[in-house]
Amino acid sequence: MSTTCFPEVIDHSAIAESLVVKAARLAEALEDEVRAFVAANGENLGDIEMQIEQQSRELLRAAAEKAAQKKADVTPPLCPVCQKPLSRVTQGHQRSFECKFGTLSIGRSRGYCKRCRKWRFPADTVLGLEESAGYSPRVQEMVALLASKMPVSEASAVLEYLTGVKLPRATLDREARRQGQRAQRVRSQEDERACQTHRKPVQSELVLEPYQMIIQLDAWNIRERDQWGQTQSLRRSGQEPDRWHWVYTGTCFRLDQRGKTAGGRPVISERGFVATREGLEGLREQMYAEALRRGLGQAAGALVIGDGAMWIWRLADDRFKDARQRLDFYHAVQHLATVGRALFGEDQAKLKAWLKPLMRQLKNESAIKVVDQLEDVLAQLPKEASAQAVEKELNYFREHQHRMDYRAGQRRGEPIGSGAIESTCRQAQCRFKRPGQYWTPQGDEALLCLETFWRNGRWHLLFPHNRQFDRSKN
């Protein structure tokens, strides 16, 4: 037989019989466990759950090993990259790896690809092991998810406690980073595909009811381990180490996906998330692609909401040039309060009495009237520090006046604040700003990417075996 022919399928009937015997023995053992549980005092359902899990683990491991071996046996000797037949194919190359149920050991074929000039193990690709550090796809998934949700040291302990899989902290960290870097590659491909699809001259999707796309942008700081060990030398030379760096974040959703719970709490049924350390360029491309996936191309219009930072409006002008822009109402109120403190100092009673009618006017009437009143206030102040503070805030309101259409926004049922993105940033900070944590640009971007895949409901693109899981309920 030629070395490039389909490998001979090994008969595993003995293994099948072994599984049947093991299953029968397991059934008897479980019956004994049930009787012991019924007779025992002080045990609840959790005790029998743990006993059943421990007793079943070996049978599940054997079944998984059998399935993996059979899959390896029927895998054709083709290069997984170029799909060309392999030469010099040999059988029986053993490999051991960890799965959820324990250690599996399989034999697979190996061949040489003349086109790629590399030795290949086709079965490794089919089984999802080609880039693994010795762990099954299910273990890879658990590592990626746990590391994106909690510190690595905790993730290692939780993984062992819940599944019995033992991964040292350093190994788990490397595997999580590898999965995050793979997620970054998949993200780039998906973003490019979304943009290319939008450019194609295809017939527009029929939209039964016009909807508005809401886009909110913000940023928060993350502490990184740059210039590590150079703190004292930098300070002696008059430089202060800059440990904190911006993570640019965005969220988008359709206006008709915004509502309230039965208790009156605002809720958004479905929305997209972006978080990146790749700077404004990274945010611009990722946010645009995410908005397209969420229906920007079929939207009747779009609204960008931000806290007044100039980079937000520049990004909006670049990527969402036809979108309306709105300054977050509560940030506008903070600037009004700054004027009030310049006028009344620490007198809270006078500050509130002056601020409340202006807030009501700004929200329910017109920003023009508020600007007029601030101009009157400034005209009556002597030329001193308080006047300079009022003038600064007045210029702020003049600059953003066209972004303060709060009355019209409320009539259309649109948000006038950026609460959605504020909460998104806060949730990310709960993971990345714990005491004592330092990051690197490569490490934090990898985990941020994993987290956004999870929150955007595209986890199955990284781990197709879990495509049936509905992450929208999380």
Side-chain angles (χ1 to χ4, degrees), residues 118-149:
K118 288 186 177 181
W119 289 96
R120 302 290 192 187
F121 293 87
D124 286 1
T125 300
V126 172
L127 295 172
L129 302 171
E130 73 281 6
E131 294 182 358
S132 171
Y135 302 100
S136 71
R138 182 61 172 158
V139 174
Q140 295 173 37
E141 178 191 15
M142 292 188 291
V143 166
L145 184 58
L146 286 172
S148 69
K149 299 295 183 183

Side-chain angles (χ1 to χ4, degrees), residues 295-329:
L296 177 64
Q298 290 77 43
L303 170 66
V304 176
I305 303 178
D307 61 7
M310 288 308 301
W311 66 264
I312 294 178
W313 313 127
R314 289 170 182 161
L315 188 150
D317 290 337
D318 180 22
R319 272 304 185 197
F320 310 102
K321 61 181 180 179
D322 295 325
R324 292 175 291 115
Q325 299 177 5
R326 178 169 298 147
L327 176 70
D328 170 55
F329 173 74

Side-chain angles (χ1 to χ4, degrees), residues 273-434:
F273 302 89
V274 169
T276 182
R277 264 288 287 125
E278 294 181 348
L280 287 174
E281 180 65 26
L283 176 67
R284 178 166 52 245
E285 300 307 318
Q286 293 175 40
M287 191 73 253
Y288 182 60
E290 187 61 32
L292 288 174
R293 281 190 288 263
R294 299 287 170 173
L296 177 64
Q298 290 77 43
L303 170 66
V304 176
I305 303 178
D307 61 7
M310 288 308 301
W311 66 264
I312 294 178
W313 313 127
R314 289 170 182 161
L315 188 150
D317 290 337
D318 180 22
R319 272 304 185 197
F320 310 102
K321 61 181 180 179
D322 295 325
R324 292 175 291 115
Q325 299 177 5
R326 178 169 298 147
L327 176 70
D328 170 55
F329 173 74
Y330 303 99
H331 279 81
V333 170
Q334 288 177 358
H335 284 269
L336 275 179
T338 301
V339 176
R341 283 190 289 271
L343 298 175
F344 307 108
E346 299 302 321
D347 192 330
Q348 294 297 315
K350 289 184 179 180
L351 173 61
K352 291 180 179 179
W354 178 85
L355 186 59
K356 284 185 100 174
L358 281 176
M359 287 175 54
R360 193 179 308 112
Q361 194 172 57
L362 180 64
K363 185 176 183 179
N364 301 319
E365 296 182 31
S366 170
I368 297 176
K369 295 182 178 180
V370 174
V371 171
D372 290 341
Q373 291 191 52
L374 292 181
E375 289 176 343
D376 292 341
V377 169
L378 179 61
Q380 298 173 18
L381 287 176
K383 299 296 182 180
E384 54 185 31
S386 59
Q388 294 176 5
V390 172
E391 184 176 14
K392 178 181 177 181
E393 299 304 328
L394 174 58
N395 291 333
Y396 179 87
F397 275 84
R398 286 170 176 164
E399 179 183 359
H400 294 292
Q401 183 174 309
H402 65 288
R403 300 187 178 107
M404 298 182 181
D405 57 338
Y406 304 123
R407 180 175 64 174
Q410 290 180 99
R411 288 176 176 175
R412 290 191 291 263
E414 298 169 350
I416 63 172
S418 57
I421 189 61
E422 295 285 349
S423 64
T424 298
C425 292
R426 178 57 182 157
Q427 290 165 21
Q429 291 178 77
C430 288
R431 168 65 182 96
F432 288 89
K433 294 179 74 169
R434 298 190 183 194

Side-chain angles (χ1 to χ4, degrees), residues 135-279:
Y135 302 100
S136 71
R138 182 61 172 158
V139 174
Q140 295 173 37
E141 178 191 15
M142 292 188 291
V143 166
L145 184 58
L146 286 172
S148 69
K149 299 295 183 183
M150 63 183 69
V152 170
S153 57
E154 294 180 25
S156 178
V158 170
L159 179 66
E160 181 177 355
Y161 178 76
L162 293 179
T163 68
V165 177
K166 297 181 180 180
L167 265 77
R169 173 178 174 175
T171 304
L172 191 147
D173 180 63
R174 286 194 301 270
E175 180 64 17
R177 182 173 299 190
R178 189 181 70 83
Q179 293 300 330
Q181 292 168 348
R182 184 169 70 90
Q184 289 176 250
R185 296 192 294 270
V186 175
R187 181 183 65 189
S188 297
Q189 296 168 2
E190 290 297 308
D191 289 352
E192 184 177 355
R193 185 177 295 113
C195 295
Q196 288 178 345
T197 302
H198 181 66
R199 295 191 197 104
K200 293 180 180 179
V202 297
Q203 183 177 359
S204 299
E205 178 184 343
L206 179 62
V207 180
L208 298 180
E209 292 187 16
Y211 61 85
Q212 295 288 320
M213 177 65 64
I214 310 298
I215 301 165
Q216 298 188 10
L217 305 170
D218 205 349
W220 50 279
N221 277 318
I222 192 170
R223 185 167 58 171
E224 293 179 350
R225 199 183 293 263
D226 49 353
Q227 299 175 323
W228 192 250
Q230 304 176 37
T231 303
Q232 297 303 322
S233 60
L234 287 172
R235 285 177 175 166
R236 282 195 296 267
S237 64
Q239 302 179 54
E240 185 64 26
D242 185 12
R243 303 279 188 228
W244 294 92
H245 304 277
W246 290 113
V247 176
Y248 292 101
T249 310
T251 188
C252 61
F253 53 91
R254 289 169 41 164
L255 184 59
D256 57 3
Q257 293 168 341
R258 180 174 176 264
K260 291 184 178 181
T261 64
R265 184 174 65 87
V267 65
I268 301 172
S269 61
E270 184 179 344
R271 60 183 173 126
F273 302 89
V274 169
T276 182
R277 264 288 287 125
E278 294 181 348

